[in-house]
Amino acid sequence: QKKHPEKKIVPAAMLYYHIADPMIEDGQGLTPEQLNRKILQELKATGIVNSDDRAVRLLDGEFTGKSDILPIERKKDGSFSAYSSVISEENMAVVSDYVNHKIKELGTGILQGNISVNPCEQNGNSSCTYCAYRSICGYDTEIAGYEMRQLENLSPEEAVRKMNSERSE
């Protein structure tokens, strides 16, 4: 947007791509095409995709029923299925602005010396489970004052609404 202010910039997706070297078990007897398809399934990105058909076509030109590389699939009538992680362009802007707001907020806090341990939990899943610093951070539920933040279960619509209201405060 800064580089081309005269153009309307439309984000196509916000994706997380896990860099890995996938191992396909029991790949014997598979054709190279079948093996390639299994590898693509293992490398499939997660995140949200702009629901605009043009953006989807630019991201995955071969997408018809179920994408091999994006978290989207279509129903027979052409609409996105309930399993698709799609979001409108307007809501994509809300999420993007909110993420930028949080990056600035958290970055400022770190620069001001706030490096406290602040894990969260939702539906029994803890952020500590995947943390690379788990063994050295000092977080201990047995010590008074250490509380796991409980994240709310929000529908996508509720989450966007909360992001929009927090962003405009």
Side-chain angles (χ1 to χ4, degrees):
Q1 188 68 50
K2 288 178 186 176
K3 209 175 200 182
H4 300 283
E6 73 286 356
K7 294 184 178 181
K8 179 182 177 188
I9 305 302
V10 178
M14 291 182 211
L15 299 169
Y16 172 77
Y17 182 78
H18 183 75
I19 298 173
D21 191 10
M23 302 296 268
I24 306 300
E25 291 186 31
D26 196 29
Q28 293 191 345
L30 296 178
T31 66
E33 186 177 294
Q34 290 169 325
L35 193 56
N36 235 5
R37 185 165 296 273
K38 280 190 167 272
I39 290 171
L40 280 175
Q41 287 171 350
E42 291 293 318
L43 293 173
K44 188 179 221 171
T46 58
I48 55 175
V49 178
N50 188 327
S51 60
D52 179 65
D53 279 331
R54 185 168 177 245
V56 170
R57 279 194 311 275
L58 290 170
L59 289 169
D60 186 355
E62 298 179 16
F63 169 61
T64 51
K66 186 174 183 179
S67 176
D68 290 329
I69 58 174
L70 300 170
I72 56 174
E73 64 180 61
R74 290 199 191 273
K75 297 189 283 189
K76 289 182 182 179
D77 67 2
S79 62
F80 289 104
S81 76
Y83 299 106
S84 296
S85 294
V86 292
I87 189 169
S88 70
E89 184 179 329
E90 297 79 25
N91 286 345
M92 178 82 79
V94 171
V95 172
S96 179
D97 289 349
Y98 180 78
V99 168
N100 287 328
H101 163 74
K102 289 308 260 184
I103 288 170
K104 288 175 188 168
E105 181 182 285
L106 294 169
T108 300
I110 290 169
L111 290 173
Q112 292 174 347
N114 182 6
I115 56 169
S116 62
V117 178
N118 194 10
C120 60
E121 183 178 50
Q122 185 178 40
N123 298 332
N125 297 317
S126 164
S127 59
C128 294
T129 305
Y130 307 102
C131 182
Y133 305 102
R134 183 178 180 179
S135 61
I136 60 170
C137 79
Y139 179 78
D140 187 350
T141 55
E142 302 299 316
I143 299 173
Y146 281 91
E147 295 288 324
M148 186 79 64
R149 286 181 299 125
Q150 296 297 317
L151 300 180
E152 297 176 78
N153 286 320
L154 301 173
S155 71
E157 295 80 18
E158 290 172 316
V160 168
R161 204 169 20 260
K162 273 191 97 162
M163 286 181 216
N164 205 15
S165 68
E166 185 176 320
R167 190 179 59 127
S168 60
E169 287 177 356

